[in-house]
Amino acid sequence: MDEGCPLLDVQAGPMQKLCGSNYPLSIAFIVVNEFCERFSYYGMRAVLTLYFISFFHWDENLSTAVYHAFSALCYFTPVIGAIMADSWLGKYKTIIYLSIVYVVGHLIKSVGAIPSLGNQAVHVVLSMVGLFLIALGTGGIKPCVSAFGGDQFEEEHTSERSKFFSVFYLSINAGSLISTFVTPVLRGDVKCFGEDCYALAFGVPAALMVLALVVFIAGSGLYRKTPPQGNVLLEVCKCIGFAIKNRLKNRSRQIPKRDHWLDWASEQYSKQLIAEVKMVTRVLFLFLPLPMFWALFDQQGSRWTLQATKMNADFGIYVLQPDQMQFLNPLLILVFIPIFDLGLYPLISMCKFNFTPIRKMATGMILAGMAFGLAAIVEVKINETDMPQLVPKESLIQVLNLAKNPVQVTIQDQNLFQQPVEAFQNPDEYSHLILNGEQQSLRFILQHQGSSLAFNYTVKEKSVYSLIVFEAEGSLSSRLITDLEAKPENGLAAVRFINGLSQDVNLTIDSKQFTPVQRNYGVSGYSLVERDTYDNGKCITETGEFTLDLGLLDFGASYTVVITNVSGGAVQTWKSEDIKANNVHMAWQLPQYLLISAGEVMFSITGLAFSYSQSPASMKSVLQAGWLLTVAVGNTLVLVVAQAAPMAQWAEFVLFTVLLFAVCIIFSIMGYFYVSVDPEDLEEKEEKRETPSRGNMISLVTQKTKL
């Protein structure tokens, strides 16, 4: 198994072993290093989307675009790391130097999340510089660490090396699992600078990366270090480039044709290299449809996390943070791998079904597409509790009757409120006001106990209002106040107060102080609070301090709390839920996580194993680079869709579902015509071939894969 840096023969003295086994002691440092590094990367990335939205106040599309731009960069930079390791520094120095870059990036990113440090422009610059350095560091060492671990084994210890890679892969998933669960807790449950503690959520991964670097350096005296011996990826690119250039130069019909376009590189490159490049290009051609799978898969950290912010996260014994749902993926991967390898695949084989690698990968695509189909359905259900979409020449209004008796409300030129509004009646929904322009002065007529009063208010388009009706100094009065136009973000609750007392009040909820609310139906501004039961608030008046019990302020809801009376040492209140709470439970995301995780096992693990089996040993690092680039291109596709074609979220989920199903059909057709090869057989045949310049083409056919 190779991840970008070819395994090299090593001439070195005896190495220290673990407990008398054939395992070098040095691999313990490498495994711990990988665990800490993966904790660092996935922990930081887990909270990144919400950081953009909450800290920078970017919209969802921009936050998604920047998140996937960073993810794409993390998978473009492994090519740089592989070239540095194989052609210049060697694996050990490459890991050391790029890990230092990695640590610096984390530290800059953490400092940029301190609210008191400069303005938003400073925070954005620091964060973008930090993310760039992190992408360079994590991507640069990605292709080298596992290969460096493989270098520690003697050539005859292939079984131990294979088990090492299994432990190595386990450490990756363990780091990812723990970090995606812990860092959202550090962000949401710990408060610093009066808000979510992003500085801590980024600081802990930074500390883990420092620990990873220290552990790796600590094992320096135990490592077997290989010198750089040239990068095969560069040789492949040069060979392809020369073949294309040579073919364009020799377009004359008088020049004999050659059976394969790569044969035009035979003047400068060996027939063995050309034959191996031909094998690789066949597999890379099969890679062309694969980015679409990654376009869907990596949205777990962006669109799916944003979807979770609009859901009910109360699981009874524990309230999940929306970005914590990402921990399901590494957890399910660890569960599914043994189930699939030891249960599902053998069962399918017993049923005499030829479940080829191509079929497994196509099935993985179908499962991922189904996951996004479910995500679209969940999104539609979530939208049912959203505020109605505001359009030009239209506004929304509700009536809060705080008087003691029913009130009939009539609005000029509007056919609303046919029935009287009962006292302290909680409105079911907002009503639509149709205007004749951007704003309009409307006449409101209130009929109360046989008397009729009229009030004029100016209403603006695309706004949301509450008309509060109350009795002041023995007569009926009213006030038109502005409401929230959309749900509070990130699962927070919004609350404001109307003071129905004859004295000013000062309010405190969970250490959050409101500005004094004036007497006789003064209205406070909105304040965002965490979802919780607030039964120990304080209300301070001229006559003393009283207990304020608000009950549950739920996920995504907006409340108007009216202070009606003071008695028995407590404040009497009436609470109106202006915007409905999130009523779709976060557990409804579980099926889509199950499907996409099962799809990853079938697609990713099978795809890597299949591509490795179809290329010679010297070209496996090239295929690894190609595989990582499919992830980068997939993230780029999400970036393009988020910025170039903004649409309703459910529609975007459907779009990606349709695109992946279409790509799956194309991939299946390509797979049907793909001819499976054995690289060792082809190498033997190559020795018997004539030179490529004679125009003979390598026969790539050994047997046809039946789909």
Side-chain angles (χ1 to χ4, degrees), residues 40-52:
S40 167
Y41 172 74
Y42 284 110
M44 178 276 304
R45 200 178 74 158
V47 300
L48 198 55
T49 300
L50 296 186
Y51 172 68
F52 294 148

Side-chain angles (χ1 to χ4, degrees), residues 106-266:
H106 265 302
L107 295 177
I108 293 175
K109 185 77 186 70
S110 303
V111 171
I114 300 175
S116 59
L117 186 68
N119 55 24
Q120 180 167 333
V122 173
H123 295 145
V124 171
V125 170
L126 289 175
S127 294
M128 294 305 106
V129 171
L131 287 176
F132 175 79
L133 295 178
I134 290 171
L136 182 60
T138 188
I141 68 175
K142 187 187 295 291
C144 299
V145 177
S146 63
F148 186 69
D151 286 349
Q152 307 307 305
F153 291 85
E154 305 287 349
E155 286 301 318
E156 63 268 19
H157 297 149
T158 55
S159 174
E160 287 81 1
R161 179 186 289 150
S162 177
K163 291 179 181 177
F164 158 73
F165 284 123
S166 297
V167 174
F168 187 84
Y169 186 74
L170 179 64
S171 71
I172 293 174
N173 283 277
S176 172
L177 172 64
I178 297 173
S179 64
T180 51
F181 190 87
V182 171
T183 50
V185 174
L186 300 177
R187 173 197 63 79
D189 292 352
V190 179
K191 302 299 177 184
C192 56
F193 307 102
E195 54 189 59
D196 282 356
C197 199
Y198 285 101
L200 179 63
F202 291 136
V204 170
L208 264 291
M209 190 57 220
V210 172
L211 179 60
L213 178 58
V214 169
V215 168
F216 188 76
I217 294 176
S220 177
L222 303 172
Y223 298 138
R224 174 178 292 179
K225 303 167 187 174
T226 63
Q229 295 187 4
N231 186 270
V232 68
L233 178 60
L234 290 177
E235 286 298 306
V236 170
C237 293
K238 290 177 182 178
C239 178
I240 293 174
F242 181 81
I244 295 173
K245 182 179 178 181
N246 197 26
R247 178 66 184 91
L248 294 176
K249 282 184 178 180
N250 296 280
R251 288 177 290 177
S252 173
R253 294 184 179 181
Q254 299 177 354
I255 300 176
K257 293 183 178 180
R258 302 184 184 181
D259 292 331
H260 195 284
W261 63 273
L262 279 169
D263 291 336
W264 290 95
S266 59

Side-chain angles (χ1 to χ4, degrees), residues 588-624:
W588 284 107
Q589 278 196 325
L590 181 59
Q592 63 201 55
Y593 272 98
L594 284 167
L595 286 173
I596 206 162
S597 299
E600 182 191 6
V601 172
M602 286 191 168
F603 179 88
S604 180
I605 297 175
T606 304
L608 271 174
F610 172 72
S611 59
Y612 276 26
S613 72
Q614 297 297 292
S615 68
S618 61
M619 292 288 159
K620 297 193 186 300
S621 61
V622 178
L623 281 180
Q624 176 68 10

Side-chain angles (χ1 to χ4, degrees), residues 66-79:
V66 175
Y67 173 90
H68 287 282
F70 166 71
S71 297
L73 188 60
C74 289
Y75 285 93
F76 277 121
T77 50
V79 176

Side-chain angles (χ1 to χ4, degrees), residues 497 505-509 512-517 524 538-540 548 563 571:
F497 292 89
V505 299
N506 289 282
L507 303 169
T508 302
I509 301 175
K512 185 184 293 289
Q513 281 193 328
F514 288 75
T515 56
V517 186
S524 74
K538 294 180 181 179
C539 176
I540 302 175
L548 181 63
I563 301 174
V571 175

Side-chain angles (χ1 to χ4, degrees), residues 194 495 507-514 527-530:
V495 61
L507 303 169
T508 302
I509 301 175
D510 193 30
S511 74
K512 185 184 293 289
Q513 281 193 328
F514 288 75
S527 183
L528 297 178
V529 296
E530 297 284 345

Side-chain angles (χ1 to χ4, degrees), residues 388-402:
Q389 188 70 34
L390 295 171
V391 297
K393 296 186 178 181
E394 185 177 281
S395 291
L396 300 175
I397 190 170
Q398 67 174 1
V399 176
L400 301 179
N401 180 12
L402 310 183

